Amino acid sequence: LYLCVPPAFCVEISAMAEAPMPARARGPDELPRIAVCRQRFPRPRVTDPAQALREQFRKARLPDLEGLSIAVGAGSRGITDIDVLVKTTIEGLRARGADPFVVPAMGSHGGGRAETQEHILAEYGITADGVGAPVRASMDTVEIGTTGDGAVVHIDRLAFEADGVVLINRVKPHTDFKGEVESGLMKMIAVGLGNREGADTFHSWTLDYGYERLIQTKAQVFLDTGKVLFGVAAVENAYHELARVEIVPGNEIPSREKELLVEAKNLMPSLPVDALDILILDRIGKNISGAGMDPNVTGRWFYVNSIVQKEPRITRIVVLDLTEESGGNAIGIGLADFCAQRVVEKMDREVTYLNAITSRNLSPAHIPLYYPTDRELLCKALSSLGGKTRPADIRLIRIRDTLSLSEFEASEALLPELRENEAVSEISDLRELQL
C-alpha cells in the first residue's frame, strides 16, 4: 500500500511528523502558575508619629489660644496613625489653653449623613475617649463667599463658628486629575469642610473650571478669613507608613502643599511592569483610595463619565472584595472589568450612587461582570482574552490593594522581566494560583 502513495505526499507527511506541535490552548479551568515576589521602594519613615508631631508643636509659632474653641477637621481616608495624629494635635492645642473638638471633614462621604460620618471617624479610633475631645458632626453649612468665578464656598457651620480651625490630612496625588495641588489640606477645605452641600457645589463646577483651579480658589476664600490656624500634613511612603508629619501655618498652606505633593509623588508605589493581561486586586475601598483603586497605580482613569487606560497597559482588572471600612461604598468598581459577586452584595447602592452623583461622574458606580466563585470569575476573565493563550504566556499580577505593592504574585510569563528589574528583590518558586 505504501508504494501506491505518491512520493511527494509521503515527504509532506514525514515533514509534519517532525514539525513541533502547536502551542496548547488553555483549558477552560486552567490557571497560570505564579511566584510570590517582593519589590523595594524608597522608605523614609516616621517611627514615632506622636513624638514627631510634638516636636513640630515645639517649633511652631502659634498665637495665644487661651479659651478659644478650635475645630479639628479629620477626613475619611485611611491615613496611617490618623488617630495618633488627631490625639496629639488635641493635646498640643490643650497645652496652649485651647478648647478643641473634632469635626468630620469628608464632604458627602458616608452617604452625606452626620451620624455615618461620625461612625467612620470612630472606626479609625477618633472618638471622644480615644482622642480626648468631643466629636461633633453636622451637615449644616455656612456660605462664606464666592470665588472669582462665582462658585459659592460652603464651610461646616460648627467649624466656621469656632474661633479657629485646624486641618489634618494626607498630601498625595489625586485619583482624578494632575496638578500642582491635588489631594491634601487645600482639598479638605474646598470639599471636605463643605459637607454634602459643599461637595455637591464643588463638583457641579469641575467640568467648567477643573479640579485644581476650584480647589485653590475655594480654599483661598476660607484661608483669607484667617480662621485656619494651621494644617497637619502627612506624607506616606510606598509601604503606607508615615514618611513625614509637618505643621504648616495657615498662610503657608498654598505654597508648602505644592512642595509636599512633589515629595509624595516621588514616594508613590508602582507596579513592576508596563503591560499586563490581568491585574487581580484582592480588595478595593474608600479607605484605600478615593477611587476605590488608585489610578496612579492601575493607569485607569475616570474622565467625564468614561474610562481611560494609560500606563501601565492592563487588559482586564479583576476585583475580589470590598473593604469593611468602606461602609458599602463601592465607588470605583466601575474601573474593573470583572468582580466577585460578594463585592456586589456588600455594595450599599444608596451610598455608592450618592458618591457618583455628587462627583458628577457615574462610571465609578457601574457594576462589571460578576460571578459567584473566584475561580469561575478568573476563568471568565482569562476567556475574555481570547481563549487561545497558553497559561505560561499570560501576564498576570495579583496584589492585595493599590496601597500594598511591596509584595505581589506574578505569573510565569513575567519572571524573566522581573529578574531584570533591580527593584524586585525576591522571586519564589512557581506554585499554583490559589483563589
Side-chain angles (χ1 to χ4, degrees):
L1 292 174
Y2 177 77
L3 293 175
C4 296
V5 178
F9 185 74
C10 293
V11 172
E12 185 177 345
I13 293 294
S14 176
M16 290 175 62
E18 294 175 2
M21 293 293 290
R24 178 175 59 84
R26 186 187 67 83
D29 295 318
E30 198 170 358
L31 304 180
R33 295 188 299 167
I34 58 94
V36 178
C37 308
R38 292 182 181 275
Q39 62 177 332
R40 296 182 298 259
F41 300 104
R43 199 171 187 174
R45 185 180 180 188
V46 176
T47 56
D48 189 340
Q51 183 58 33
L53 188 49
R54 291 188 188 107
E55 183 62 27
Q56 287 284 307
F57 267 101
R58 280 193 287 271
K59 295 178 180 178
R61 298 178 179 178
L62 298 180
D64 181 18
L65 304 177
E66 188 66 37
L68 300 183
S69 64
I70 307 297
V72 178
S76 54
R77 302 294 185 237
I79 303 171
T80 298
D81 293 318
I82 181 63
D83 56 334
V84 175
L85 298 182
V86 173
K87 181 178 181 180
T88 307
T89 298
I90 296 295
E91 292 173 351
L93 292 170
R94 285 199 187 284
R96 286 156 179 78
D99 181 21
F101 63 96
V102 178
V103 294
M106 57 183 80
S108 64
H109 293 179
R113 297 188 294 268
E115 62 275 13
T116 308
Q117 293 193 354
E118 190 171 340
H119 178 70
I120 291 173
L121 293 184
E123 289 184 330
Y124 293 142
I126 303 173
T127 63
D129 291 338
V131 300
V135 177
R136 300 171 184 165
S138 170
M139 286 295 100
D140 293 340
T141 63
V142 177
E143 293 184 13
I144 66 168
T146 59
T147 69
D149 298 316
V152 176
V153 180
H154 296 85
I155 294 295
D156 177 88
R157 179 178 295 277
L158 295 173
F160 184 75
E161 291 177 350
D163 296 312
V165 175
V166 170
L167 304 165
I168 303 176
N169 204 14
R170 173 176 54 200
V171 176
K172 66 180 290 292
H174 198 273
T175 57
D176 294 334
F177 71 96
K178 298 293 185 183
E180 289 186 308
V181 173
E182 296 181 24
S183 184
L185 298 171
M186 296 278 280
K187 182 171 178 286
M188 177 171 272
I189 297 172
V191 184
L193 272 182
N195 298 337
R196 179 173 176 171
E197 190 172 17
D200 184 72
T201 302
F202 175 87
H203 288 290
S204 69
W205 285 71
T206 53
L207 292 180
D208 292 326
Y209 295 102
Y211 284 91
E212 184 181 17
R213 178 170 170 176
L214 279 172
I215 287 173
Q216 295 195 51
T217 55
K218 287 175 76 76
Q220 193 61 55
V221 171
F222 190 44
L223 288 170
D224 286 344
T225 67
K227 276 186 169 291
V228 180
L229 302 180
F230 61 87
V232 176
V235 175
E236 294 181 353
N237 61 29
Y239 300 87
H240 196 33
E241 301 164 336
L242 290 177
R244 179 187 293 275
V245 176
E246 182 176 318
I247 288 180
V248 183
N251 62 340
E252 296 179 18
I253 288 176
S255 58
R256 180 57 178 153
E257 185 168 320
K258 295 176 182 178
E259 299 168 345
L260 293 174
L261 179 59
V262 172
E263 180 179 345
K265 288 183 176 181
N266 290 335
L267 293 174
M268 275 285 294
S270 61
L271 293 169
V273 297
D274 293 330
L276 288 173
D277 296 316
I278 292 184
L279 174 65
I280 302 174
L281 293 97
D282 285 349
R283 60 182 195 164
I284 64 169
K286 290 293 287 188
N287 59 312
I288 293 168
S289 169
M293 62 180 92
D294 195 337
N296 293 289
V297 172
T298 66
R300 281 202 183 178
W301 297 83
F302 297 124
Y303 179 72
V304 192
N305 292 309
S306 63
I307 295 176
V308 178
Q309 179 70 59
K310 300 180 179 179
E311 289 191 352
R313 299 178 302 281
I314 301 173
T315 305
R316 299 286 184 258
I317 292 181
V318 178
V319 172
L320 301 183
D321 212 341
L322 178 68
T323 64
E324 295 301 325
E325 293 88 344
S326 292
N329 191 338
I331 203 74
I333 193 59
L335 280 171
D337 301 290
F338 293 84
C339 74
Q341 183 170 315
R342 71 176 70 88
V343 179
V344 179
E345 292 172 346
K346 289 183 177 181
M347 176 180 179
D348 184 322
R349 289 197 305 162
E350 181 182 353
V351 170
T352 305
Y353 290 179
L354 174 63
N355 198 162
I357 291 171
T358 300
S359 68
R360 305 299 190 271
N361 197 348
L362 308 184
S363 297
H366 290 176
I367 297 175
L369 280 66
Y370 64 93
Y371 294 89
T373 69
D374 292 351
R375 186 173 188 88
E376 182 182 8
L377 169 65
L378 185 53
C379 286
K380 296 297 185 183
L382 289 167
S383 295
S384 75
L385 297 174
K388 295 183 179 180
T389 306
R390 296 187 310 157
D393 293 334
I394 294 170
R395 296 171 63 85
L396 178 150
I397 279 181
R398 179 181 183 177
I399 59 176
R400 176 171 170 78
D401 54 53
T402 52
L403 282 176
S404 310
L405 298 176
S406 59
E407 182 174 302
F408 60 94
E409 295 178 352
S411 63
E412 186 175 358
L414 292 172
L415 299 191
E417 187 174 340
L418 295 177
R419 291 190 181 105
E420 297 297 319
N421 190 327
E422 294 182 356
V424 177
S425 59
E426 296 179 30
I427 300 177
S428 75
D429 294 334
L430 286 167
R431 63 174 176 80
E432 297 301 315
L433 177 60
Q434 302 295 319
L435 290 171

